[in-house]
């Protein structure tokens, strides 16, 4: 299994004030793994807007500004999986 594409991914995240559109740069795409994008924590951390909290098989990505949860991933099939609204544009 290996990444075949590297793309920008735009996530639309619901936050208390509305919808936050966030572009992650150079996200890897692994088609042999449930046709999923592999998004590392580093891509979120680079924005400076979020922190991560994990417990009991759930990882939450929260806003630094107000601690609101913008993304949650649950442990399924030996990997944390999340299904946000994703739009992508190929590099």
């Amino acid at each position: 299994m290996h990444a075949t594409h590297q793309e920008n991914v735009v996530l639309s995240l619901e936050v208390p004030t509305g919808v936050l559109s966030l572009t992650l740069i150079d996200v890897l795409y692994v088609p042999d793994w449930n046709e999923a994008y592999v998004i590392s924590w580093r891509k979120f951390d680079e924005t400076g807007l979020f922190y991560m909290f994990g417990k009991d098989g759930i990882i939450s990505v929260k806003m630094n500004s107000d601690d609101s949860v913008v993304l949650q991933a649950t442990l399924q099939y030996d990997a944390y999986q999340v299904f946000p609204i994703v739009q992508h544009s190929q590099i």
Side-chain angles (χ1 to χ4, degrees), residues 17-38:
T17 57
V19 176
L20 172 67
S21 184
L22 176 70
T23 301
L24 301 178
I25 307 298
D26 296 335
V27 175
L28 300 177
Y29 177 71
V30 183
D32 295 335
W33 187 43
N34 296 327
E35 296 190 6
Y37 289 92
V38 178

Side-chain angles (χ1 to χ4, degrees), residues 4-79:
T4 59
H5 295 80
Q6 193 167 354
E7 301 180 351
N8 292 347
V9 174
V10 177
L11 300 177
S12 297
L13 307 171
E14 268 191 57
V15 296
T17 57
V19 176
L20 172 67
S21 184
L22 176 70
T23 301
L24 301 178
I25 307 298
D26 296 335
V27 175
L28 300 177
Y29 177 71
V30 183
D32 295 335
W33 187 43
N34 296 327
E35 296 190 6
Y37 289 92
V38 178
I39 302 172
S40 72
W41 165 247
R42 185 178 66 107
K43 293 298 180 181
F44 278 93
D45 195 34
E46 286 173 355
T47 69
L49 299 173
F50 308 100
Y51 71 95
M52 182 173 32
F53 175 79
K55 184 177 180 181
D56 298 329
I58 299 173
I59 293 175
S60 299
V61 176
K62 298 183 175 190
M63 297 283 299
N64 285 333
S65 60
D66 63 5
D67 297 322
S68 61
V69 175
V70 295
L71 200 67
Q72 278 193 326
T74 57
L75 185 59
Q76 296 179 16
Y77 310 110
D78 297 324

